[in-house]
Amino acid sequence: MTERSFARPLPPGVHVILGDSAGGIFRRVFRPGDRLVVDRDVLSCGPTLRCNGLGPWCEMRRAFWSSVAPGSALVPEAADFRLFGESERLRKAERVTIWAATGLNEQLFIAHVVHRAEQCGVDAAKIHVVQFETLRNRNARVLGTGELNEQHMSEHPEPAPVSAAAFQDYRAAWTALTSPDPALVEQFSESHPNANEWLKHAMQL
């Protein structure tokens, strides 16, 4: 398969995806230029304590990743949290599209982007999700967008607006994730029975 055979036009606005692997495939398929934001922070690892402001949050996450790989040249890049430097562009974008799969890290990533987007004043109506669940001719679900190749990415589901109910569920997931009370995580499925199955499974994990 040649690069031209899987190239596809990119939906409007700014696009956010988790991880450099998925980001690299995205760039090959869509050639997004500066319209792609790659978030590198995997929130299933390390502390996610509620913080007053972005500075303390970034320092907490950066300290964790530095402790995991002390002295690594990759740590500053991995802890760059580029999502936080894009507030103005996200706010002005025609649309903000989150590209995600069904696994734990991807669902926490959606909750994180929803939280930060609202925090910087993005109109909720502009936020869409491209949700990869399964692939053609494969029964297993897609856990992470890093699993996708160029053809899979080019055959993506249509971006769908996030419903008001889904917003509430992802907000609640973020509140639980950053709460000092573990009961909010443990009881998430019971207290939010109508949340999507991927988010409920993620919170159980």
Side-chain angles (χ1 to χ4, degrees):
M1 177 177 286
T2 66
E3 190 164 327
R4 287 184 178 181
S5 66
F6 54 69
R8 293 291 183 272
L10 184 61
V14 173
H15 301 263
V16 192
I17 203 165
L18 180 64
D20 286 315
S21 177
I25 297 298
F26 190 99
R27 288 190 178 95
R28 290 191 65 191
V29 173
F30 297 111
R31 300 182 183 181
D34 65 354
R35 293 170 57 198
L36 175 65
V37 176
V38 177
D39 184 19
R40 298 184 174 96
D41 195 10
V42 178
L43 295 178
S44 64
C45 302
T48 56
L49 302 176
R50 192 171 300 159
C51 295
N52 294 322
L54 290 178
W57 173 270
C58 289
E59 287 306 311
M60 173 182 65
R61 298 299 298 165
R62 188 173 287 112
F64 165 72
W65 287 117
S66 296
S67 71
V68 170
S72 170
L74 294 179
V75 168
E77 182 179 351
D80 186 31
F81 311 134
R82 195 178 157 212
L83 180 63
F84 300 134
E86 302 292 344
S87 297
E88 188 68 15
R89 194 150 63 96
L90 293 176
R91 185 163 50 247
K92 292 182 176 179
E94 176 183 353
R95 180 190 294 176
V96 175
T97 302
I98 305 167
W99 295 66
T102 67
L104 167 61
N105 293 324
E106 304 274 326
Q107 292 300 305
L108 297 184
F109 163 65
I110 296 175
H112 189 200
V113 176
V114 164
H115 173 73
R116 297 302 174 191
E118 290 196 304
Q119 193 176 51
C120 69
V122 175
D123 182 354
K126 296 197 303 185
I127 301 177
H128 288 57
V129 172
V130 172
Q131 179 72 75
F132 291 92
E133 297 186 349
T134 58
L135 300 176
R136 190 166 51 187
N137 301 322
R138 189 175 115 180
N139 292 326
R141 64 190 177 102
V142 181
L143 296 177
T145 48
E147 301 173 30
L148 306 174
N149 61 26
E150 289 85 352
Q151 181 176 350
H152 299 150
M153 188 73 77
S154 70
E155 296 172 348
H156 64 84
E158 286 300 308
V162 181
S163 69
F167 262 110
Q168 292 294 341
D169 293 332
Y170 280 109
R171 288 187 193 107
W174 183 256
T175 297
L177 180 68
T178 58
S179 172
D181 182 2
L184 295 184
V185 172
E186 295 168 356
Q187 298 169 4
F188 184 85
S189 294
E190 297 175 11
S191 56
H192 298 84
N194 296 320
N196 77 69
E197 59 182 306
W198 313 128
L199 179 58
K200 288 192 290 186
H201 186 62
M203 298 306 284
Q204 289 171 2
L205 294 176

